[in-house]
PDB file of all heavy atoms in Angstrom:
ATOM      1  N   ILE A 335       9.198 168.016  -9.939  1.00  0.00           N
ATOM      2  CA  ILE A 335       7.786 167.991  -9.327  1.00  0.00           C
ATOM      3  C   ILE A 335       7.187 166.543  -9.633  1.00  0.00           C
ATOM      4  O   ILE A 335       6.510 166.054  -8.721  1.00  0.00           O
ATOM      5  CB  ILE A 335       6.884 169.121  -9.992  1.00  0.00           C
ATOM      6  CG1 ILE A 335       7.409 170.450  -9.538  1.00  0.00           C
ATOM      7  CG2 ILE A 335       5.451 168.899  -9.729  1.00  0.00           C
ATOM      8  CD1 ILE A 335       6.809 171.641 -10.323  1.00  0.00           C
ATOM      9  N   ARG A 336       7.445 166.102 -10.802  1.00  0.00           N
ATOM     10  CA  ARG A 336       6.821 164.718 -11.118  1.00  0.00           C
ATOM     11  C   ARG A 336       7.509 163.647 -10.230  1.00  0.00           C
ATOM     12  O   ARG A 336       6.779 162.740  -9.771  1.00  0.00           O
ATOM     13  CB  ARG A 336       7.056 164.423 -12.612  1.00  0.00           C
ATOM     14  CG  ARG A 336       6.132 165.282 -13.418  1.00  0.00           C
ATOM     15  CD  ARG A 336       6.278 164.960 -14.933  1.00  0.00           C
ATOM     16  NE  ARG A 336       5.325 165.736 -15.741  1.00  0.00           N
ATOM     17  CZ  ARG A 336       4.006 165.496 -15.791  1.00  0.00           C
ATOM     18  NH1 ARG A 336       3.529 164.406 -15.276  1.00  0.00           N
ATOM     19  NH2 ARG A 336       3.311 166.288 -16.585  1.00  0.00           N
ATOM     20  N   ALA A 337       8.763 163.733  -9.983  1.00  0.00           N
ATOM     21  CA  ALA A 337       9.503 162.760  -9.168  1.00  0.00           C
ATOM     22  C   ALA A 337       9.013 162.800  -7.716  1.00  0.00           C
ATOM     23  O   ALA A 337       8.846 161.837  -7.039  1.00  0.00           O
ATOM     24  CB  ALA A 337      10.944 163.008  -9.205  1.00  0.00           C
ATOM     25  N   PHE A 338       8.737 164.075  -7.178  1.00  0.00           N
ATOM     26  CA  PHE A 338       8.145 164.250  -5.883  1.00  0.00           C
ATOM     27  C   PHE A 338       6.809 163.682  -5.852  1.00  0.00           C
ATOM     28  O   PHE A 338       6.490 162.974  -4.818  1.00  0.00           O
ATOM     29  CB  PHE A 338       8.167 165.795  -5.589  1.00  0.00           C
ATOM     30  CG  PHE A 338       7.780 166.130  -4.156  1.00  0.00           C
ATOM     31  CD1 PHE A 338       8.879 166.520  -3.282  1.00  0.00           C
ATOM     32  CD2 PHE A 338       6.586 166.087  -3.673  1.00  0.00           C
ATOM     33  CE1 PHE A 338       8.652 166.924  -1.994  1.00  0.00           C
ATOM     34  CE2 PHE A 338       6.322 166.416  -2.295  1.00  0.00           C
ATOM     35  CZ  PHE A 338       7.324 166.786  -1.446  1.00  0.00           C
ATOM     36  N   ALA A 339       6.002 163.871  -6.824  1.00  0.00           N
ATOM     37  CA  ALA A 339       4.606 163.360  -6.826  1.00  0.00           C
ATOM     38  C   ALA A 339       4.699 161.778  -6.818  1.00  0.00           C
ATOM     39  O   ALA A 339       3.900 161.160  -6.125  1.00  0.00           O
ATOM     40  CB  ALA A 339       3.853 163.854  -8.089  1.00  0.00           C
ATOM     41  N   LYS A 340       5.624 161.246  -7.555  1.00  0.00           N
ATOM     42  CA  LYS A 340       5.709 159.833  -7.592  1.00  0.00           C
ATOM     43  C   LYS A 340       6.064 159.278  -6.179  1.00  0.00           C
ATOM     44  O   LYS A 340       5.596 158.267  -5.708  1.00  0.00           O
ATOM     45  CB  LYS A 340       6.735 159.375  -8.646  1.00  0.00           C
ATOM     46  CG  LYS A 340       6.783 157.861  -8.812  1.00  0.00           C
ATOM     47  CD  LYS A 340       7.720 157.540  -9.928  1.00  0.00           C
ATOM     48  CE  LYS A 340       7.751 155.983 -10.157  1.00  0.00           C
ATOM     49  NZ  LYS A 340       8.661 155.703 -11.232  1.00  0.00           N
ATOM     50  N   ARG A 341       7.087 159.932  -5.600  1.00  0.00           N
ATOM     51  CA  ARG A 341       7.577 159.492  -4.183  1.00  0.00           C
ATOM     52  C   ARG A 341       6.399 159.608  -3.172  1.00  0.00           C
ATOM     53  O   ARG A 341       6.252 158.650  -2.419  1.00  0.00           O
ATOM     54  CB  ARG A 341       8.730 160.340  -3.787  1.00  0.00           C
ATOM     55  CG  ARG A 341       9.241 159.818  -2.534  1.00  0.00           C
ATOM     56  CD  ARG A 341      10.427 160.303  -1.928  1.00  0.00           C
ATOM     57  NE  ARG A 341      11.647 160.262  -2.785  1.00  0.00           N
ATOM     58  CZ  ARG A 341      12.788 160.728  -2.450  1.00  0.00           C
ATOM     59  NH1 ARG A 341      12.922 161.434  -1.355  1.00  0.00           N
ATOM     60  NH2 ARG A 341      13.799 160.655  -3.293  1.00  0.00           N
ATOM     61  N   VAL A 342       5.670 160.534  -3.179  1.00  0.00           N
ATOM     62  CA  VAL A 342       4.659 160.761  -2.144  1.00  0.00           C
ATOM     63  C   VAL A 342       3.311 160.189  -2.563  1.00  0.00           C
ATOM     64  O   VAL A 342       2.394 160.022  -1.760  1.00  0.00           O
ATOM     65  CB  VAL A 342       4.450 162.211  -1.628  1.00  0.00           C
ATOM     66  CG1 VAL A 342       5.776 162.660  -0.961  1.00  0.00           C
ATOM     67  CG2 VAL A 342       4.017 163.104  -2.790  1.00  0.00           C
ATOM     68  N   GLY A 343       3.196 159.774  -3.829  1.00  0.00           N
ATOM     69  CA  GLY A 343       1.939 159.089  -4.237  1.00  0.00           C
ATOM     70  C   GLY A 343       0.773 160.002  -4.373  1.00  0.00           C
ATOM     71  O   GLY A 343      -0.436 159.591  -4.094  1.00  0.00           O
ATOM     72  N   LEU A 344       0.966 161.228  -4.908  1.00  0.00           N
ATOM     73  CA  LEU A 344      -0.113 162.233  -4.997  1.00  0.00           C
ATOM     74  C   LEU A 344      -0.002 162.687  -6.436  1.00  0.00           C
ATOM     75  O   LEU A 344       0.968 162.631  -7.098  1.00  0.00           O
ATOM     76  CB  LEU A 344       0.042 163.396  -4.083  1.00  0.00           C
ATOM     77  CG  LEU A 344      -0.132 163.181  -2.588  1.00  0.00           C
ATOM     78  CD1 LEU A 344       0.252 164.370  -1.751  1.00  0.00           C
ATOM     79  CD2 LEU A 344      -1.604 162.764  -2.335  1.00  0.00           C
ATOM     80  N   PRO A 345      -1.200 163.231  -6.884  1.00  0.00           N
ATOM     81  CA  PRO A 345      -1.274 163.745  -8.268  1.00  0.00           C
ATOM     82  C   PRO A 345      -0.335 164.970  -8.438  1.00  0.00           C
ATOM     83  O   PRO A 345      -0.111 165.775  -7.451  1.00  0.00           O
ATOM     84  CB  PRO A 345      -2.771 164.333  -8.425  1.00  0.00           C
ATOM     85  CG  PRO A 345      -3.478 163.478  -7.439  1.00  0.00           C
ATOM     86  CD  PRO A 345      -2.512 163.210  -6.234  1.00  0.00           C
ATOM     87  N   VAL A 346       0.222 165.154  -9.616  1.00  0.00           N
ATOM     88  CA  VAL A 346       1.161 166.268  -9.892  1.00  0.00           C
ATOM     89  C   VAL A 346       0.540 167.659  -9.535  1.00  0.00           C
ATOM     90  O   VAL A 346       1.242 168.438  -8.956  1.00  0.00           O
ATOM     91  CB  VAL A 346       1.611 166.215 -11.367  1.00  0.00           C
ATOM     92  CG1 VAL A 346       2.439 167.444 -11.625  1.00  0.00           C
ATOM     93  CG2 VAL A 346       2.404 164.883 -11.592  1.00  0.00           C
TER      94      VAL A 346
END
Side-chain angles (χ1 to χ4, degrees):
I335 293 169
R336 290 180 178 281
F338 191 102
K340 185 175 182 181
R341 182 172 304 176
V342 298
L344 291 173
V346 173

